Amino acid sequence: MMMKPTLSFDRSRELFEGLQQSRNPHAADSLTRASEAPEIDPQQYLEARIYKVFVKEDMEDSLLGLNAEAELYLIGVALDNISSDPLSFKVDTFRISSSDPSDDDTPESRPDRLLQFGSTGWSFYRSPNGKLPTYLDLNMVLFESDEDLRETGQIMKDLATNEELKGMKNSAIAMLKSASTATWAGFASNMALQVVGLIGKYLVLNQDDVISHLQASHSTAFGDIGNRDFKFSDHNAGWWYGMRQVENA
């Protein structure tokens, strides 16, 4: 099962795929420059973090119905082009409570519908020490659960031994060894959607349970990788996420 994003920020993937298909003689040089990794302190690494997710009022009404509380899964999936195991993921559980209607549908006025993760955020990707990826595909998905939430520690243990997911990891490792950045960009995008679908299947979730799904591709070609913050929203939710170069403790 492959999930469909409700929101995409995919200019980096589109750039690499466009350059790969171009017959322009300068395309190869452009691909090389876009794939050059910036230098980073050997004691630093890059983290991708979600800082806030805001569930909008119309979506809250649909989620809660007559219930006082809605149970949610947050899933993060990342694929980079530098790690020995380029595929990483994380799953967590959250709840939102019913609230009084308001004309001001903003995170500041409706904290009851805001998932907050503190100043350090909800980290779901970490690069190897001393390295920055030149291409990074991120998927962030908020699911509604119709069943009781499972314990996150057990979820991660079960997924770590899932044979289908192991096969996806092996495919990603093999592809990265031989693929150009342009080829990897398309592969990573499709692979991430398959991984989200597999995790959803394990959690007995489907496309109808998706509240919001943001797929974002980042690259050094646009200066998208480093200490950067991003904000996007669709009709159901708003996302605040970013990347930080972190000193290794």
Side-chain angles (χ1 to χ4, degrees):
M1 178 174 63
M2 184 180 290
M3 292 294 181
K4 298 178 181 179
T6 60
L7 184 62
S8 294
F9 177 64
D10 250 0
R11 63 179 184 175
S12 289
R13 177 185 60 79
E14 291 167 355
L15 168 71
F16 281 109
E17 291 185 341
L19 287 172
Q20 185 183 42
Q21 296 167 10
S22 173
R23 296 184 179 182
N24 187 314
H26 300 296
D29 290 339
S30 298
L31 274 171
T32 300
R33 289 195 300 273
S35 303
E36 290 176 349
E39 293 185 1
I40 182 175
D41 188 296
Q43 297 304 313
Q44 289 186 339
Y45 58 88
L46 185 76
E47 276 193 350
R49 308 167 172 178
I50 300 174
Y51 294 106
K52 299 177 184 177
V53 186
F54 179 60
V55 178
K56 296 182 179 179
E57 187 166 15
D58 288 346
M59 189 64 226
E60 180 207 27
D61 294 340
S62 175
L63 280 174
L64 292 167
L66 298 176
N67 301 315
E69 191 174 65
E71 298 183 324
L72 313 174
Y73 284 109
L74 179 62
I75 297 173
V77 176
L79 284 101
D80 71 12
N81 67 338
I82 56 168
S83 298
S84 57
D85 182 357
L87 168 62
S88 58
F89 60 88
K90 184 177 178 180
V91 182
D92 217 334
T93 58
F94 299 92
R95 291 175 172 84
I96 61 170
S97 303
S98 59
S99 57
D100 295 328
S102 171
D103 293 332
D104 188 7
D105 191 29
T106 64
E108 291 73 24
S109 65
R110 310 317 311 249
D112 45 334
R113 287 189 273 111
L114 180 64
L115 308 184
Q116 299 189 76
F117 311 106
S119 59
T120 58
W122 188 79
S123 175
F124 65 102
Y125 165 77
R126 171 177 171 167
S127 74
N129 286 347
K131 294 183 178 180
L132 287 181
T134 58
Y135 185 87
L136 180 62
D137 189 278
L138 302 175
N139 276 253
M140 295 151 274
V141 195
L142 192 62
F143 278 104
E144 170 193 8
S145 177
D146 297 325
E147 301 184 0
D148 291 340
L149 294 176
R150 305 189 193 184
E151 197 273 320
T152 52
Q154 190 60 50
I155 292 172
M156 295 301 290
K157 287 181 181 179
D158 290 347
L159 290 173
T161 58
N162 182 284
E163 291 301 323
E164 192 173 353
L165 189 53
K166 283 183 180 179
M168 290 182 178
K169 279 181 168 284
N170 290 335
S171 295
I173 292 168
M175 174 61 78
L176 185 58
K177 289 179 180 178
S178 59
S180 66
T181 304
T183 302
W184 174 254
F187 173 87
S189 177
N190 290 326
M191 173 66 74
L193 297 181
Q194 292 179 41
V195 172
V196 172
L198 188 151
I199 296 173
K201 179 181 177 182
Y202 163 77
L203 295 172
V204 197
L205 304 169
N206 55 50
Q207 187 72 46
D208 292 338
D209 296 314
V210 173
I211 298 171
S212 184
H213 178 174
L214 170 59
Q215 183 175 42
S217 59
H218 297 273
S219 73
T220 52
F222 288 112
D224 281 346
I225 293 178
N227 293 314
R228 294 291 307 277
D229 291 325
F230 303 88
K231 292 184 180 181
F232 297 102
S233 64
D234 57 22
H235 58 285
N236 288 337
W239 297 88
W240 289 259
Y241 74 98
M243 304 176 203
R244 289 291 180 273
Q245 290 175 214
V246 181
E247 196 75 25
N248 192 30

